[in-house]
C-alpha cells in the first residue's frame, strides 16, 4: 500500500541525505500525482529538507541548533539527551512532499535529510506514498 | 468524511498526550492504510510528537523552548504572549502520521501531544484521516 | 491534478499572507473534503501558520527567530545566510491543512504565510489539494 521502511546507521550527529530512497519509494509505489510523507519513529532524530549544495550549510545547521537548544542546568531527564529531543522537535519528525510525474517535487537546492542528534544508532524511517 | 474534532482544557503550559484520541479517530474512520493529520486551530498552542516514557522530557522540552524563545525587550505585541506564538510555531501547528493496519504508525517511545503555551484555555484540535 | 504554483516578490524578510491563494487553489481543485499541502521549494524561505490579527505578532516572530538563530562566529557557509537556513527550517518548509466544505479549515486567528528570511527575491510556492 505504498509504505516503505528504510534503515540507516548514524554517527553522533549529522544530516544524512535520503532523497534517493524517497525517489525510489515513490517510483515503486506507482503513484504519479500525490503526496509523500517521510516519518521518523524516533524522538531524538528527525526529518528535514534543506540545502544540498554546500556541506557547510549542514555543519552550520547543526551548530545553530546546538546554540538555540543548549544543555540547561535545570534539565531533569536522567538520560541527559534533552537537547537532542528539542532539536529533533525543532526540525520536525516528518516532512511531507508533493509527488509530481512520479517524482518528489523539490527545489533545485533541496534535499531530504535524516537528522541524527543522539547517535550513533541504528535508525529507521518510513515513507508513505498516496 | 473522516474528520473529528476534540476539545480539551489546558493549564498555563504543558504537553497533553492525545494519542488515544488519534487512535480512536482512525478506528472510527474505517481507514486501514493512509494518512492522519492532527491540526491545532490556535496560534499559541501546537501539536508535537515526542517521548512518552519519562515525564521529565516534557518538563525539559518546555524549559528548552522558553530558553530558545524568551521575552524580548523589543517585542511590540500588546497581548504580551509573543513567546507563546514563537514556541507554538517552533513545535508546529500540526503533525502528520502514517496509518497502518488501522492504527497510527508511531515509534515505541512516541506519543502525540497537544502543546499549550498560553493557557489556561478551552482548546480544540482536528483529526483528519484519509 | 490539484497542483497549483504561485509566484511572489519578497522584501529582505517578512511574513506574506497567502491564505487567499490557498482558498483559490482549493476551490479550483473541486475538492470538498481532503488535505492541502503548501510547499516552499526554497531553503531560506518557509511556510508558517500564525496570527493574522495584529501585525506586531509578525514583527515579534521575526525578532524572536533572529534571536534564537543568530549569526555564529563558527559558521562556515560562504554565502553568509546560514541563519536564514536555520529560521526557514524552524518554521518549516511546508504546512498541511485540512480541507472542509471546499475551504481550508483554519482557526479564526490563523492565516497561512510565506516566510522570507533571505530576500529580496523572486519566490514561488506549490499548493497540492487531494
Amino acid at each position: 500500500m505504498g509504505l516503505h521502511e528504510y534503515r540507516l546507521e548514524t554517527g553522533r550527529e549529522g544530516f544524512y541525505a535520503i532523497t534517493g530512497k524517497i525517489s525510489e519509494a515513490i517510483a515503486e509505489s506507482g503513484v504519479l500525482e500525490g503526496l509523500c510523507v517521510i516519518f521518523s519513529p524516533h524522538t531524538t532524530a528527525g526529518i528535514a529538507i534543506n540545502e544540498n549544495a554546500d556541506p557547510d550549510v549542514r555543519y552550520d545547521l547543526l551548530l545553530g541548533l546546538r546554540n538555540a537548544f543548549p544543555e540547561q542546568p535545570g534539565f531533569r531527564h536522567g538520560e541527559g539527551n534533552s537537547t537532542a529531543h528539542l532539536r529533533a522537535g525543532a526540525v520536525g519528525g516528518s516532512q511531507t512532499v508533493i509527488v509530481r510525474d512520479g517524482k518528489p517535487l523539490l527545489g533545485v537546492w533541496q534535499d531530504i535529510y535524516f537528522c541524527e542528534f543522539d547517535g550513533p544508532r541504528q535508525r529507521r524511517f518510513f515513507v508513505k506514498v498516496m
Side-chain angles (χ1 to χ4, degrees), chain A:
Chain A
M1 297 292 288
L3 178 61
H4 297 74
E5 179 175 354
Y6 295 96
R7 291 169 187 277
L8 77 167
E9 240 174 277
T10 60
R12 194 173 58 85
E13 64 174 38
F15 279 57
Y16 299 85
I18 55 173
T19 313
K21 296 293 182 196
I22 313 308
S23 298
E24 181 189 307
I26 294 172
E28 282 177 17
S29 76
V31 171
L32 293 179
E33 312 292 330
L35 294 176
C36 173
V37 172
I38 306 102
F39 185 87
S40 156
H42 308 290
T43 57
T44 56
I47 310 290
I49 297 177
N50 219 305
E51 181 178 310
N52 54 23
D54 179 2
D56 282 347
V57 172
R58 270 106 72 198
Y59 176 91
D60 292 357
L61 290 173
L62 290 169
L63 175 55
L65 285 164
R66 278 195 306 266
N67 180 70
F69 302 104
E71 279 296 328
Q72 299 287 317
F75 279 166
R76 293 183 179 172
H77 181 44
E79 250 186 289
N81 61 355
S82 289
T83 81
H85 286 282
L86 279 157
R87 286 175 283 159
V91 304
S94 75
Q95 295 289 336
T96 300
V97 297
I98 296 165
V99 176
R100 182 178 63 179
D101 295 334
K103 291 179 196 136
L105 172 48
L106 294 169
V108 284
W109 307 110
Q110 289 182 317
D111 257 320
I112 307 169
Y113 292 96
F114 184 93
C115 311
E116 176 61 78
F117 298 111
D118 192 33
R121 301 245 198 145
Q122 302 285 342
R123 299 289 204 178
R124 26 186 213 138
F125 61 92
F126 294 94
V127 182
K128 174 78 180 176
V129 190
M130 64 181 272

